[in-house]
Amino acid sequence: MSGKLSEKTVRETVITAIGEMVGDNDLRMIAGLLAGVYLLCIALGLLAGFPIGGIVNTLRAVTVFAAGYGMLVLALNLHWGYTGLFNIGVAGFMAIGTYVTAILSSPPTMMPGPGLGLPVPIAILGGMVATAIAGLLTALPALKMRADYLAIVTVALSEIIRLSIKSQSLAEFTLAGRTLGTGGGRGIRYPAPGSIGGAVTETVPGMATLAEAAAAVGINTPVFTGLIYMFILVATVAIFYSIIVRIGSSPFGRVLKAIREDELVASSLGKNTSIYKLKIFAFGCALMGLGGYLWLGRSGFVNDLSFRPNITFFIFIALIIGGAGSNTGSILGGIMFSSLLFYVPQFVSQNFSGNASPPGSFAAAIDGAIVPYIITNIGPLRFVGIGVLLIYLIQRRPDGILGHRKEDAAAVNLGERPQSQSRVNKEKSS
Amino acid sequence: MGVAERVWQGRGRISDRLGTILIAVMILILIGDVLSQLLTGVIAVPYVASIIIEGIVVGLAYGLAGIGLSMTYSILSFANFAHGDTITVGAFSGWSVAYAIGGIGSTSFGSLFLLNATPGISIVTSFWVVILGLISAAVITVAVSLAVDRLVYHPIRDAEGISLLIASIGVALTFRYLIAFFYGTSVRGITDPASKVGLFSVNGQIGVGVIRPNQQLAQLTSTDALPAFLELTSTAGPSEVILSMTLHAVVLVVVASLLMLGVHLLLQQTKLGKAMRAMADNKSLAQVSGIPTERIIRMTWIIGGALTGMAGFLIVLNSGTTNFNFGWRLLLYIFASVILGGIGSIYGAIAGGLIIGLVNSIAIIWLPSGLTKVAAFAVLIIVLLVRPEGLFGGVTTA
């Protein structure tokens, strides 16, 4: 018993020490984590013998990945962290946002998946509105359900959406004289949001010279334009963050937190909880739609395989790692999950398999070639690790990294009574 | 009971009935449509019969796999998202043992056990190997389920349902990708094609018989070449298969029915069933009444694990192929079956499985093939909206 206690105190001291070192500054925490991830990627890139352009590209890829997770984890935090809505249909809402934006922006001649050819900003708005409506339609009946039923309904819905997109019957259809379509199993092609990097390089004064300078150092133009898109994604994450922080600290946000803590109490206090839940569900879904388009749809081509239920679970796990209820935690979780658990193992598998012909099956690998087999098959092992980590987190650290900072439903902390106040009360009663 | 409360209940009942009536009307319209299409000759009787048979076979498999999910859902109060991958564990472990025994001596144990070599197993050529594989699937899945309960769920037994659900997602990922790591991710053929049993018309004779996989009815000159044939009547029509079912599907139907009967007897005739019902109803009350709850939970995993493992083995026997994520893909159908029937009811799970299996196969009459799954998932959502307690809700039997 005493051994357990001392172990706990040691752990707590270590955690506080780390906390003091990093400080409570959220931005510093995120920067520190990113710096660590970058150092690791640079080290791995140097080990793999990458030139400078390759290393910069690796850093770009890992940042894009982290930003994509950041957007979606923040949106999910609005549902699960703030309001306690167990939505595991994220993939479906991402798919709606991506596909509607794609169809609206794709020119009628672009195959597969012809569209309306609207300007991209209008298409993005249309995609977000469509996702919000889809969210509303889901939430209207589903929010009356128990949490586990909501989970099953949302995951089933995301599969319905994905299968419908994949279905040949929606691949091309005519609506009011216009031929539209999802492209079915062949996927959909549309103007790539990522191409904005190229447009910025050409139009913004000074960017062209910067690109030339970068090319002289070994960073070629595709990597340079990719970097510009990366900055746009990071800026979007910042916008998401500030919007959600504002919502969270508003009176509206306090009702959301009250719903999470105890819906009955919130409705007893005269709040129409259904309206609040509907609004936040629709808004979170719109953010998911935008996030899906900007991240998974960045290359101008996407198919149904990007929206399988696994991606929902990964976003959820990232949120749990970071700590549900904390926005900074959402970003930290997104970075940690996407880089350390997802990107780095993949990078190792691609660049360090060494052996020219790794064994094709585990049976062949047992006879001496087990290490190359493990390195080439790091993909499945990484998911095993993620699964075990998830179980560990639920058992031991259900709050994740920053879940203890879950914001209170009340505007002031009601957990502790000010000392002087209680003394006054005692004196009064006696 | 207050007046307001009574009025409220009455209102619930009316809206309840309204939804049920609407669904009943829709089902009647669909049945009428099938009949009219049959009468006008748009679709043929053998075609409808074949998709109904397929739906029943698949539905029995869903029902068998659903019993375990239903039991853990009601007794441990959480939706087990690892259930689909438990089916995969059962299938791979059972077939590994079957291959290792069936192909003994032909090639290395490793490549047999990892299902890389194909010793050529079918129910006709290797009956006892299949039975042994079925038993091992049950035993190994029970062992795995008990270990997972001990390591994962036991430490957080009193946590909320959602925490357990999230933990089960972790278990699901672990199972699925451990199998992918050891067995690889490709789809592989497992069984040899089996003989078919059914109603045939051969050279003017119509009868019940068995046909080998390498035989073609059109090329047969007489029924003597068939392994078995019993003439019922005669006709002038061409040689054709009117109705048929592979022997593997027959095994699935027979074994699944026997197991369901067994579970029914076990839960109705023993104290265990009563204790399980008590726990599903009120865990704390069961505990203070002296029911050994931990032992009941262990029995739940044992019964559920065994049925799930065998279901996985039988599904692969029937389909002939397997893949590391086939169980995960079945999970939503099985959830649909269990919720449709009413969580906690094993008869509900069976009936729900049959309905979902039939919906999935019959929907092909109206929907393009890519969208039949959508129909099955839509049934799930509609049931959750209209009648969340399920068809057999309230009558929990296990």
Side-chain angles (χ1 to χ4, degrees), chain B residues 106-161:
Chain B
S106 66
T107 172
S108 82
F109 176 80
S111 68
L112 279 171
F113 197 78
L114 292 165
L115 309 177
N116 289 326
T118 39
I121 291 178
S122 85
I123 190 73
V124 185
T125 55
S126 346
F127 180 79
W128 288 109
V129 170
V130 172
I131 297 300
L132 267 174
L134 184 70
I135 294 168
S136 342
V139 171
I140 297 171
T141 315
V142 165
V144 170
S145 297
L146 286 176
V148 165
D149 181 56
R150 189 83 222 150
L151 292 173
V152 180
Y153 304 122
H154 184 258
I156 47 172
R157 188 75 85 210
D158 294 323
E160 290 173 69

Side-chain angles (χ1 to χ4, degrees), chain A residues 156-372:
Chain A
L157 192 80
S158 84
E159 275 297 87
I160 289 182
I161 292 167
R162 187 179 72 83
L163 292 167
S164 309
I165 284 170
K166 191 183 171 190
S167 136
Q168 205 49 48
S169 39
L170 285 178
E172 231 169 78
F173 56 90
T174 311
L175 195 74
R178 299 278 210 133
T179 306
L180 310 171
T182 62
R186 288 178 301 159
I188 187 166
R189 204 167 281 289
Y190 52 93
S195 66
I196 195 171
V200 167
T201 318
E202 279 169 22
T203 52
V204 176
M207 275 296 177
T209 36
L210 203 61
E212 274 168 30
V217 195
I219 302 166
N220 57 16
T221 315
V223 175
F224 183 80
T225 54
L227 280 174
I228 294 176
Y229 190 65
M230 176 197 90
F231 283 118
I232 293 172
L233 279 188
V234 171
T236 316
V237 176
I239 294 170
F240 272 37
Y241 181 88
S242 58
I243 291 176
I244 293 173
V245 167
R246 273 191 79 93
I247 291 179
S249 51
S250 68
F252 183 83
R254 283 205 296 278
V255 178
L256 296 182
K257 287 177 257 177
I259 292 173
R260 175 192 69 201
E261 297 305 332
D262 195 332
E263 191 176 345
L264 194 63
V265 170
S267 59
S268 308
L269 290 171
K271 302 296 178 191
N272 189 343
T273 53
S274 302
I275 299 284
Y276 282 85
K277 288 203 287 186
L278 281 177
K279 280 184 187 164
I280 207 63
F281 200 84
F283 183 69
C285 286
L287 293 186
M288 285 169 189
L290 177 62
Y293 172 73
L294 290 178
W295 173 43
L296 292 178
R298 64 186 180 280
S299 67
F301 172 79
V302 83
N303 62 16
D304 69 287
L305 295 178
S306 298
F307 302 105
R308 282 180 290 193
N310 262 2
I311 187 85
T312 305
F313 295 129
F314 296 157
I315 293 164
F316 229 99
I317 295 167
L319 178 58
I320 291 170
I321 292 175
S326 161
N327 293 314
T328 308
S330 301
I331 292 183
L332 290 177
I335 295 173
M336 284 181 96
F337 183 87
S338 62
S339 58
L340 300 181
L341 291 171
F342 219 97
Y343 189 83
V344 168
Q346 198 181 356
F347 185 88
V348 169
S349 166
Q350 278 169 359
N351 296 293
F352 294 94
S353 35
N355 200 335
S357 55
S361 73
F362 190 74
I366 299 175
D367 309 328
I370 191 91
V371 176

Side-chain angles (χ1 to χ4, degrees), chain A residues 27 29 31 59 69 87 98 136-137 168 211 236 251 340 357 392-393 406 411:
Chain A
L27 205 59
M29 240 190 292
L59 295 183
Y69 267 93
N87 170 14
T98 311
L136 211 58
L137 289 180
Q168 205 49 48
T236 316
L340 300 181
S357 55
Y392 172 82
L393 283 173
K406 192 182 262 186

Side-chain angles (χ1 to χ4, degrees), chain A residues 80 86 88 141-142 145-149 151-153 155-157 159-160 163-164 167 169 309-310 313-314 317 320 361-363 373-374 377 380-381 383-384 386-388 390-391 394-395, chain B residues 73 79 81 110-111 114 116 151-153 155-156 162-163 165-167 169-171 173-174 176-178 180-182 328 332 335 339 343 368 370-371 373-374 377-378 380-381 384-385 388:
Chain A
W80 169 238
F86 198 74
I88 48 174
M145 291 179 184
R146 285 164 35 187
D148 50 344
Y149 281 7
I152 294 169
V153 164
V155 77
L157 192 80
E159 275 297 87
I160 289 182
L163 292 167
S164 309
S167 136
S169 39
N310 262 2
F313 295 129
F314 296 157
I317 295 167
I320 291 170
S361 73
F362 190 74
Y373 181 78
I374 288 177
N377 287 282
L381 275 189
F383 292 118
V384 173
I386 290 169
V388 171
L390 184 60
I391 296 166
I394 286 296
Q395 285 185 347
Chain B
Y73 208 150
F81 270 69
S111 68
L114 292 165
N116 289 326
L151 292 173
V152 180
Y153 304 122
I156 47 172
I162 288 292
S163 297
L165 190 160
I166 296 171
I169 293 174
V171 175
L173 283 172
T174 311
R176 196 177 329 142
Y177 289 99
L178 271 178
F181 179 73
F182 287 111
W328 166 243
L332 273 180
F335 262 125
I339 290 170
I343 288 163
L371 290 178
K373 291 175 184 170
V374 170
F377 296 159
L380 163 70
I381 292 181
L384 276 178
L385 296 180

Side-chain angles (χ1 to χ4, degrees), chain B residues 46-56 357-358 361-365:
Chain B
Y47 173 66
V48 175
S50 74
I51 56 179
I52 288 178
I53 288 180
E54 191 205 318
I56 290 174
L358 283 169
S361 64
I362 293 177
I364 194 82
I365 295 178

